[in-house]
Amino acid sequence: MRKDITIEDFINGIPKAELHVHIEGTFEPELMFKIAIRNNSRIKYKSVEEIREAYKFNNLQDFLDIYYEGAGILTEEEDFYDLTMAYLEKAVSQKVLHSEIFFDPQTHTGRGIKFSTVINGIHKALAEAEEKFGMSTGLIMCFLRDLDESAAMKTLEEGLAYRKRIIAVGLDSAETGNPPSKFQDVFTRAREAGFLTVAHGGEEGPAKYVREALELLKVSRIDHGNHCLDDDKLTEELVCRKIPLTVCPLSNLRLKVIDCMEDHPLRRMMKRGLLVTLNSDDPAYFGGYINENYLAITKALNLTPDDIYKLAKNSFEASFLEESVKDKMLARVREYKKMYE
Ligand code: ADE
Ligand code: ZN
């Protein structure tokens, strides 16, 4: 790599895709305050600083309690639009050419917000970003795994009316004690309706849950997947079938999935031949968007420009883009690398 370029510059400028980001997890305290005031809603914190101060988690459940409380401020279509647009502006400034974004309809319908309010607000921002920034996007509807399958099925039925706006369904929220097997019927129904499928797995839960997600939910990608490395046969299968893992380093650190960044399994995953990608998960809560994730893991594991190049290429290869579009985006990554040689 050219000597006048720092690794940080290289990371910031490389074209990349983001495949694991929860739109509700991009809710910055400043915007939370603004929307709470606009809607005359009650907010338990007195200042932006007080909100940030509360963001100390010991595990996934601690985080989810605060995340659902924050998401509870979102009420109007305009709120979902503002939330999504703020993320897209940030993503485009970090050279994200394509983003596949999760949303959790049940977090909102469960408190009386209409499904249409949520999806129309998000979709308006996505359509505008495609037009204004030339960015491409996809929307993934997640089911909350700590609720029962009938609630997920009801959500799927509502989502069917918006089939053209949603590329895939996913599974998130509290993993431990909520195995993929609980959602086999709703995922079968989703696949029959033409949705692709993904699932969070092996974040706090065991490798067994990753296997269930593959075999029972027939997912095309695993979100996180850290614990798949505990099962050699499973890892081999993920490698052979090129099933991508959407890894989220800062999330893993903040939720104590790892003790320190230096312990992160990313390098082991790459060495094993897994198709790994880097992502931000819930950037407003975990201290960084996608580039901060690339930088933190690069510093901790001494990743090289070649490793970063590989991860950026993986992000497009693992995406749900059409092959011809993927090829164009991959060509942009190759051109970028050449500029710095
Ligand atoms: N919802 C938002 N972020 C999540 C995470 N990291 N794991 C599971 N569910 C989530
Ligand atoms: Zn996630």
Side-chain angles (χ1 to χ4, degrees):
M1 196 171 76
R2 262 171 35 196
K3 293 271 180 297
D4 58 326
I5 287 293
T6 64
I7 197 87
E8 194 166 352
D9 293 335
F10 187 71
I11 287 171
N12 291 344
I14 198 163
K16 53 187 81 71
E18 175 147 65
L19 307 178
H20 183 159
V21 57
H22 301 261
I23 202 61
E24 294 87 352
T26 70
F27 203 7
E28 291 288 350
E30 289 79 4
L31 185 61
M32 213 179 263
F33 245 88
K34 189 176 143 188
I35 291 180
I37 290 166
R38 184 165 79 196
N39 292 346
N40 277 322
S41 34
R42 284 201 315 150
I43 180 160
K44 120 175 183 196
Y45 306 101
K46 285 191 206 65
S47 67
V48 164
E49 291 69 33
E50 209 176 283
I51 301 184
R52 284 200 203 282
E53 195 51 32
Y55 290 177
K56 295 202 178 86
F57 325 109
N58 283 312
N59 53 41
L60 179 57
Q61 191 59 59
D62 278 1
F63 156 69
L64 289 169
D65 293 343
I66 291 180
Y67 163 90
Y68 292 128
E69 199 174 295
I73 306 278
L74 298 160
T75 311
E76 309 294 329
E77 190 175 307
E78 187 189 9
D79 305 344
F80 290 93
Y81 169 85
D82 287 349
L83 172 72
T84 309
M85 189 46 88
Y87 162 70
L88 293 166
E89 282 170 354
K90 185 76 183 177
V92 83
S93 79
Q94 296 204 340
K95 290 289 180 307
V96 174
L97 306 187
H98 174 71
S99 184
E100 293 173 10
I101 301 166
F102 296 129
F103 76 118
D104 287 341
Q106 289 160 289
T107 297
H108 313 296
T109 54
R111 53 190 176 86
I113 310 294
K114 284 196 189 132
F115 191 107
S116 58
T117 301
V118 180
I119 197 161
N120 287 339
I122 296 173
H123 184 260
K124 184 163 175 254
L126 300 183
E128 230 174 271
E130 304 219 358
E131 176 92 349
K132 258 183 23 199
F133 312 136
M135 190 177 163
S136 75
T137 58
L139 202 49
I140 303 177
M141 174 169 77
C142 279
F143 304 123
L144 301 184
R145 68 200 301 159
D146 47 341
L147 302 184
D148 60 26
E149 193 182 35
S150 64
M153 198 64 93
K154 185 168 171 279
T155 304
L156 175 62
E157 297 302 334
E158 287 194 271
L160 286 175
Y162 301 93
R163 173 68 198 85
K164 287 208 177 97
R165 293 185 184 177
I166 301 170
I167 42 168
V169 300
L171 191 62
D172 67 1
S173 200
E175 187 180 12
T176 308
N178 295 300
S181 52
K182 196 174 146 185
F183 296 93
Q184 200 171 342
D185 289 346
V186 71
F187 269 65
T188 301
R189 173 96 182 84
R191 288 195 316 279
E192 283 166 0
F195 293 107
L196 292 163
T197 60
V198 298
H200 281 54
E203 181 186 17
E204 280 191 344
K208 181 170 174 266
Y209 284 14
V210 176
R211 180 169 289 290
E212 278 190 15
L214 275 185
E215 290 177 357
L216 306 181
L217 309 187
K218 306 200 188 310
V219 296
S220 311
R221 282 198 307 246
I222 297 289
D223 297 310
H224 295 292
N226 299 44
H227 287 291
C228 77
L229 292 171
D230 302 341
D231 180 336
D232 216 44
K233 250 180 91 184
L234 170 68
T235 306
E236 192 53 31
E237 190 175 337
L238 292 166
V239 171
C240 290
R241 292 180 52 197
K242 294 192 171 67
I243 302 285
L245 304 183
T246 61
V247 171
C248 306
L250 286 173
S251 164
N252 293 159
L253 184 67
R254 293 295 293 270
L255 301 185
K256 302 197 179 0
V257 170
I258 49 171
D259 292 332
C260 61
M261 200 55 104
E262 287 71 18
D263 283 352
H264 198 283
L266 181 85
R267 191 180 279 293
R268 277 191 290 142
M269 289 169 162
M270 292 176 86
K271 279 211 169 115
R272 270 302 246 121
L274 286 160
L275 181 48
V276 280
T277 67
L278 289 181
N279 309 273
S280 68
D281 205 5
D282 300 287
Y285 292 88
F286 300 149
Y289 286 75
I290 194 162
N291 285 354
E292 287 79 22
N293 273 274
Y294 270 75
L295 189 61
I297 195 85
T298 295
K299 284 189 172 160
L301 303 186
N302 285 317
L303 298 185
T304 64
D306 276 341
D307 294 326
I308 292 158
Y309 174 59
K310 173 86 180 149
L311 289 163
K313 279 197 306 178
N314 284 356
S315 72
F316 292 109
E317 268 154 23
S319 75
F320 292 141
L321 285 165
E322 272 176 33
E323 290 304 317
S324 61
V325 183
K326 257 187 210 181
D327 288 345
K328 280 190 193 135
M329 297 207 176
L330 284 165
R332 286 183 63 179
V333 187
R334 278 196 300 275
E335 276 162 30
Y336 177 83
K337 178 155 180 278
K338 268 203 202 129
M339 268 176 20
Y340 289 104
E341 276 169 352

